[in-house]
Amino acid sequence: MQKMIEFLSQYKRKKMPGWLKNLNPDDDRKPDIQYILNGRVVFYPACYSDGFMVEVFNTSLSAFVYLYADYAMTEEKWTEILHTRELNERKTDGHITCQTSNEKFRGYDEITHYDYSFDKIAGPQDWEPHYEYNHGPRHGKRFCRLSIFERQEIYNENYGAKRFALLYINDDGIMIYDALYWPGS
């Protein structure tokens, strides 16, 4: 992982987008989600709550926006994951490691979040899927939440970006990619 971070730091480093840098968490106006999704976005389907991509790209300052997609996540569980810091045990490749439930976001606080309607995010009203989406039932009601995280003051830029944004949509990853990024969507 360290080699990947070094490569991204050297060749793909970016400045924080102005909308994120200047965002006032006390302002109730929602950021323009289409504008945000037209920049560099790390898309992570079937991710559940894995923070690996955020850790890699955030540490290297090569991305500031993440799109998580997983129909198995519920809004209640996602909120719990973001706001619970109790120690959990997790098996990884046969080994047991201890971590907080939001270990990959350790050192960051969610300073605000915005809820969106998927229909408004998905592009044109006449959008037609290019694929037959036949996955299991979605867990809970659909949610689209953009969370803004800010680095705690005890950490500096060597730890990671001052801020990052994570859009979580609990639906099929292929369908989300189709709706947001397929040509003509």
Side-chain angles (χ1 to χ4, degrees):
M1 179 173 70
Q2 189 57 38
K3 293 247 185 235
M4 192 179 340
I5 291 171
E6 289 170 10
F7 174 83
L8 291 168
S9 295
Q10 185 173 0
Y11 297 107
K12 299 296 182 180
R13 191 176 195 127
K14 290 184 62 98
K15 290 185 178 182
M16 183 184 302
W19 72 266
L20 183 58
K21 183 177 180 181
N22 299 322
L23 184 129
N24 177 352
D26 297 324
D27 190 345
D28 290 336
R29 290 177 294 173
K30 292 180 182 180
D32 180 347
I33 200 71
Q34 293 300 332
Y35 179 78
I36 293 169
L37 293 174
N38 281 326
R40 182 179 290 172
V41 175
V42 176
F43 177 59
Y44 193 2
C47 58
Y48 199 67
S49 64
D50 183 19
F52 178 75
M53 294 299 178
V54 173
E55 182 179 11
V56 168
F57 287 91
N58 191 48
T59 302
S60 64
L61 302 177
S62 56
F64 298 88
V65 178
Y66 305 86
L67 172 54
Y68 276 29
D70 198 322
Y71 64 86
M73 180 65 73
T74 66
E75 185 173 16
E76 295 76 22
K77 184 65 177 172
W78 181 239
T79 300
E80 177 186 329
I81 287 168
L82 291 181
H83 299 286
T84 301
R85 297 188 185 272
E86 65 191 42
L87 199 60
N88 294 315
E89 285 188 356
R90 182 177 106 187
K91 284 191 174 185
T92 310
D93 298 331
H95 299 95
I96 296 178
T97 58
C98 290
Q99 65 175 18
T100 58
S101 60
N102 62 347
E103 178 188 58
K104 301 305 179 193
F105 306 139
R106 185 179 31 196
Y108 287 86
D109 295 315
E110 182 187 44
I111 58 171
T112 192
H113 69 266
Y114 307 92
D115 293 313
Y116 292 86
S117 161
F118 181 75
D119 296 334
K120 296 205 179 199
I121 293 175
Q125 296 298 329
D126 60 349
W127 171 73
E128 291 291 329
H130 296 91
Y131 176 75
E132 180 70 32
Y133 305 104
N134 191 9
H135 58 69
R138 181 185 314 111
H139 296 261
K141 67 179 178 73
R142 178 185 276 160
F143 74 95
C144 303
R145 174 168 291 165
L146 177 69
S147 296
I148 309 298
F149 295 89
E150 188 166 270
R151 188 180 63 226
Q152 296 169 356
E153 291 185 18
I154 61 171
Y155 298 102
N156 63 26
E157 189 177 84
N158 293 329
Y159 187 78
K162 174 76 174 155
R163 286 184 175 174
F164 69 88
L166 191 149
L167 176 63
Y168 204 113
I169 303 175
N170 72 326
D171 216 322
D172 183 83
I174 296 171
M175 188 271 303
I176 291 169
Y177 184 86
D178 184 359
L180 298 178
Y181 295 111
W182 189 278
S185 293

